[in-house]
Structures are given as structure tokens and as C-alpha cells.
Amino acid sequence: AVANENFNLQFQPIIDRNKEVVSYESLIRIFHNGETIFPDLFVPVAEETGMIQDMGRWVIEEACHAINQLAKPVTINVSSHQFHQQGFIKHIEHCMSQNGISKNMLTVELTEGVVVGNLHEIIYKFNRLKEIGVQIAIDDFGTGYSSLEYLRKIPINYLKIDKSFVNDLHSDQSAQVIIETIIAMAKHLNLEVVAEGVE
């Protein structure tokens, strides 16, 4: 798939309370012999083999190209391996420049696990992303490490509530309390919130 660029980038709309499309999340798929292969199967293999870098570069290029066609902001998922790769931010900057992407039109989505490690390096990279006009979202918030320290120190724009909480919203009171807490905290920190699984 990497050699033949046998990937497909699909775009899932992110909508507001008025059901207006405000942006899109890009989702990578492999189509092979008429079958769709989902990222939970091939991303771990790509990370183990080091192919995640080539795959990630392709996603960044395609997403930047799609922004002009969709005329809406686009989010890309970035793995921990990809985020820590040398040249990651430089490639984003190049693709944005090549496609004439204006500020706040591209969002990088990272899981909470990414921010574990060298905090100085992580803060530097997050600040560099902000400098070039990239927004930052933390995916599956509440299911990982949930360190409140990075919410204070790292320039984040969005928190994404994991769909496991959204799915249990009407059947589990603790899920409701967690969602309410995340929303309240995000408001106080001037962050946007995206709820996954609403579809």
C-alpha cells in the first residue's frame, strides 16, 4: 500500500449544534482486493516497520490538498511515532505553504499518550505547530493518562470526548458526570470540545 499509494482518505464531517458542518476529520483506509482495511489493523504494523513516516507524510499532503477543495478546516490523526519523527513539523509547514493553506485550517489530532515523555520537547513542538498556524486537538480525552499538567502548559485548541462516554451517556450516570466535567473544564480553559460517536 505504501509503495503503490494504495490508500484512500475519507472525510467525516464535524457538525455543530445547528447541524452545520464546521470541519472534517480525515480518516485513512486501505482498499485491497475489493476489501476495506481499517487503521486499527495496519497502523500498528506501520509503526513497527517504520512505514508510518511515509504513510503520515502522504496523509498530510492529501489533507492539505483537500482543504482547498472542501473549503473547510481538516483534522489529521497523528501517531506518537510520527509526532516524534525528525522533520515532522517541517513537512507540515512545506505542505501548507505549497497549497496556500491559511492559519487555523489544519488541525493535528494527538492522543494523550503523545504528551508522555520529555515535556520540554513536547512543549517546543506544540508551540512550533501553533507558530505555523496549526490547531491542536487531544483525542479520546479521559481514557488515557489525563494529566491536567499538559492542559496548563501546552497550547491545545480542542478536547475530543471519547465515544465510550458518549455511547453510555443515557445509561450510565458516571459517563454523564465525566462529560459534564470535561465540558466545564474546557470552557474555563477556553478550549473547544468535540464529542465523538454522535453519528
Side-chain angles (χ1 to χ4, degrees):
V2 170
N4 301 323
E5 291 192 357
N6 196 20
F7 298 111
N8 182 269
L9 213 55
Q10 298 183 342
F11 296 93
Q12 177 169 286
I14 298 173
I15 63 169
D16 63 14
R17 68 181 67 190
N18 300 316
K19 297 185 180 178
E20 297 287 332
V21 175
V22 293
S23 61
Y24 292 90
E25 179 178 354
S26 59
L27 304 167
I28 190 170
R29 305 284 185 259
I30 292 177
F31 288 108
H32 181 66
N33 293 337
E35 190 181 345
T36 303
I37 304 171
F38 292 92
D40 56 335
L41 287 175
F42 62 82
V43 166
V45 179
E47 289 180 336
E48 284 171 26
T49 58
M51 290 183 177
I52 192 74
Q53 190 169 8
D54 289 336
M55 198 173 77
R57 288 167 73 90
W58 180 86
V59 169
I60 293 165
E61 290 161 14
E62 288 296 306
C64 285
H65 183 65
I67 287 170
N68 290 324
Q69 295 175 315
L70 296 168
K72 296 275 185 189
V74 169
T75 297
I76 57 170
N77 291 277
V78 172
S79 75
S80 177
H81 285 71
Q82 191 182 351
F83 177 76
H84 292 291
Q85 292 265 333
Q86 199 170 4
F88 165 66
I89 294 172
K90 195 167 276 189
H91 184 63
I92 290 179
E93 194 171 15
H94 171 73
C95 290
M96 287 177 68
S97 172
Q98 204 172 36
N99 289 277
I101 305 301
S102 56
K103 287 194 168 190
N104 302 330
M105 290 297 281
L106 180 69
T107 299
V108 164
E109 187 174 301
L110 304 147
T111 61
E112 290 177 270
V114 170
V115 296
V116 173
N118 185 337
L119 193 60
H120 292 297
E121 180 208 347
I122 291 159
I123 291 170
Y124 170 76
K125 284 198 168 182
F126 273 59
N127 283 328
R128 279 288 294 125
L129 287 169
K130 291 296 279 188
E131 281 170 21
I132 64 173
V134 174
Q135 302 234 48
I136 298 164
I138 298 296
D139 193 19
D140 302 337
F141 187 76
T143 62
Y145 298 93
S146 295
S147 169
L148 300 181
E149 181 72 359
Y150 70 70
L151 289 183
R152 199 167 60 89
K153 291 188 174 179
I154 294 174
I156 298 165
N157 302 98
Y158 297 93
L159 291 181
K160 297 191 76 176
I161 300 172
D162 187 68
K163 66 180 179 180
S164 62
F165 299 123
V166 176
N167 290 343
D168 294 340
L169 181 60
H170 297 296
S171 59
D172 183 353
Q173 192 175 2
S174 63
Q176 187 174 338
V177 170
I178 289 168
I179 289 172
E180 288 172 355
T181 303
I182 292 171
I183 291 170
M185 182 174 61
K187 280 184 178 175
H188 286 299
L189 294 168
N190 294 317
L191 303 177
E192 296 286 334
V193 180
V194 177
E196 295 182 321
V198 174
E199 72 275 13

